[in-house]
Amino acid sequence: MTERTTDSHPVRVLGRLDTPLSRWLWLVKWLLVLPHLLVLALLWIAFVVLTVVAFVAILVTARYPRGLFDFNVGVLRWTWRVQYYAYSALGTDRYPPFTLADVPDYPARLEIDYPERLSRGLVLVKWLLALPHYLVVGLFTGGGMGMVWWPDRDGPTWTWGGLIGILVLIAAVVLLFTGDYPKPVYNFVLGMDRWVIRVGAYVGLLTDRYPPFRLDMGGGEPGAELPDTPRQGAGPGRPGGWTGGRVVSVIVGALVAFAALGLLAAGGVALWADRSERDADGYLTTASTLTTESYALSTEPVRLDSGIGGWVGSGLGDVRVRVTPTEPGSSVFLGVTSAGDAARYLRGTGHAVVRDVTGERVVTEVVRPGGPPAPPESAGIWLESSAGEGTRTVETTVADGDRVFVVVDQDREPGVSVRAEVGATVPALPWVAGVALASGAVLIGLAALLIGVAARRASG
């Protein structure tokens, strides 16, 4: 056994190719690792949250909290074992253990030296400095079955593709027919895996050592070898480390933190909309252009029944709809009525229904071909209506039941094109913003408690 030299990289990725390997087991490993992938999905959520916490801690103290460091190293270690067993290497048939701790006799091992101090300035730009590595890592993984820490993603990417996946597939086919794993392919694959994990550790703030542009091939590290037993303080396996209960506490805390961030974001948007997006009349509005080659346009029924629907209706307050013909001088009729009356009025009329509006993207569907409708003013069904040239406005208070808005060209000629604006006073918006912000703050406190207590106990 050789001693680790001072020139060795602080992120050490090792693998031992087991022999013999099953010729056929690799065909079903995708199924066998599903339990691990489910657990890792939760662990990577926790990894993201703890990395954000560590980011703040490094900015303030220039130190990565030891308990959080051990946890995140454990997540990387667990991920590497699963990758090594599955389709990032196929280097062993021994099923990966469910643990964050180092397992000395497992064929795949990962160790990262704990940094006593980290650069406060470097933590702000690591994601940017690693951009050249992203190109290399993308070539290796292809967004594929490889652990890649992208700055705009919440965790690793687990899909097929890339040079690693291609070479592992070639090795699997050779193994199927010959019973041997080609050693040159193995060495090259391990070199690429090592490069990917070093980049992930650097961007994950676990080290200040910039990943080398070097393909260190083979299962061992240049000038370094992990000891046969874990060193004291090496990671989650040490006394007082990450027990199952503490891991669960961090995962729950991370999920609560994500829920809290969602509430805080929603509350912030609601407060911003209430304070800055209302027009002079107090309405929050959205506008789109609606066009059809048929005789009329109608909305889908808006259903606000009693109970929850009634609460939503009262929360919306007054509703205002405005339509302006896109052709100057055109006259249109705008009315609102019940869904039943609208269906009877439009029966036999060629008209289109607005199915979906997302910004300027409008989806309309021609319900049926037909002739022009009866003069809308004489129908006697409208709860509110307005007709004539220029902008037409209808204001109504949302009540129980289905409501449909209908636009008809007053000349009853085919082709309706209007700029439509829908607005509501939404008097409940300040209350919704306050509740969301308060709930988010409470959940952030709960998440901090769950994570902080677990990390403190894990740190011993």
Side-chain angles (χ1 to χ4, degrees), residues 294-296 346-351 368-374 412 414:
S294 56
Y295 288 91
L346 294 171
R347 185 178 296 123
T349 297
H351 67 285
R368 64 174 64 86
R412 293 192 295 158

Side-chain angles (χ1 to χ4, degrees), residues 134-171:
Y134 298 155
L135 301 176
V136 180
V137 166
L139 174 65
F140 289 167
T141 66
M145 192 68 175
M147 184 277 303
V148 187
W149 179 259
W150 296 104
D152 61 342
R153 296 185 183 178
D154 295 334
T157 302
W158 290 86
T159 52
W160 288 95
L163 190 55
I164 292 175
I166 293 172
L167 291 180
V168 170
L169 178 60
I170 292 173

